[in-house]
Amino acid sequence: MIVWLEDRRDTVVALLPMFARKNLEYQMLGKPATFVNFLDEMSDKIIGEGRQPVFLIDIMMHGVSDLSEIGLLNAPTMSGNHAGYVFVDRYLRSADSKWSNVPVCFLTEREIDEQLVEDVKHLNDRGPAPAKVFSKYHESKAEEMLALIESWQ
C-alpha cells in the first residue's frame, strides 16, 4: 500500500491516471495528523499486507506551520515549505518509529536544489529505508518514480 501525504490534490491530479494504469493502491491524506491517525488505525493491515508499504510525502504543505498536532514541539517547517521533510525526519524516521523501514518518495513543486538533495541524502545515510525526491510536474520523472515504487513493493 502507498500512503500519500498531500495537502493539495490538485497539484498531483495528472499523476493519478498513471497510478491507476499500474494498479497501484494508495490512500491520500491531507495533513500530518490525519496521516498519523491512519497509520495507527491501519498498521496491522499495512504491515501485514505482505507487500512493502511506501510513503509518498509532499514536501511543501503551506497550512502546516509546525507539527505540534502530532506531538512534535520545536519542529520548524519553514512556514510549511519544508513540512513534509520535517515530518519524515522527526516522526517517520525517528529512533523509536516503527515506520523507519518504509521507503519514502518525496514530491515537490519547488526546484530540487542542492539543499533538498542534501536533506534527502541525510535520510538515506541514516537509513534503514531509502528516500528519493521527485518533481510533481515532470511526466518522465513520474514514470521513474512509479517504477521505483513498484521495485520497493
Side-chain angles (χ1 to χ4, degrees):
M1 172 181 277
I2 299 164
V3 186
W4 193 341
L5 177 58
E6 174 58 63
D7 67 328
R8 292 183 44 221
R9 186 181 182 95
D10 61 304
T11 65
V12 295
V13 72
L15 297 175
L16 302 183
M18 299 168 92
F19 278 78
R21 277 195 306 276
K22 296 205 174 259
N23 294 316
L24 290 172
E25 178 187 349
Y26 64 88
Q27 179 69 40
M28 191 180 298
L29 304 150
K31 297 168 92 177
T34 308
F35 191 96
V36 168
N37 290 338
F38 179 80
L39 292 181
D40 289 344
E41 293 170 10
M42 300 295 289
S43 65
D44 291 340
K45 180 181 188 294
I46 294 167
I47 293 169
E49 191 174 64
R51 291 174 50 179
Q52 172 68 49
V54 174
F55 294 147
L56 239 82
I57 307 291
D58 179 24
I59 288 181
M60 289 178 20
M61 292 183 281
H62 293 291
V64 180
S65 59
D66 65 43
L67 297 172
S68 60
E69 194 174 0
I70 60 169
L72 292 177
L73 305 177
N74 194 23
T77 65
M78 295 173 32
S79 300
N81 287 329
H82 216 50
Y85 175 82
V86 174
F87 173 66
V88 171
D89 182 51
R90 298 281 306 276
Y91 184 83
L92 295 175
R93 294 287 172 87
S94 68
D96 61 344
S97 174
K98 69 179 175 183
W99 304 106
S100 63
N101 65 336
V102 177
V104 174
C105 279
F106 288 106
L107 290 172
T108 187
E109 292 181 74
R110 68 183 229 213
E111 178 185 342
I112 300 175
D113 59 16
E114 285 183 43
Q115 182 60 55
L116 185 52
V117 169
E118 186 63 32
D119 288 344
V120 173
K121 181 184 179 312
H122 171 72
L123 286 177
N124 281 314
D125 290 347
R126 265 186 20 217
K132 188 147 171 79
V133 63
F134 293 93
S135 174
K136 288 183 178 181
Y137 302 122
H138 296 281
E139 190 170 327
S140 65
K141 293 294 182 186
E143 291 292 345
E144 179 185 337
M145 178 187 69
L146 293 172
L148 184 62
I149 289 171
E150 289 179 310
S151 76
W152 284 343
Q153 293 187 316

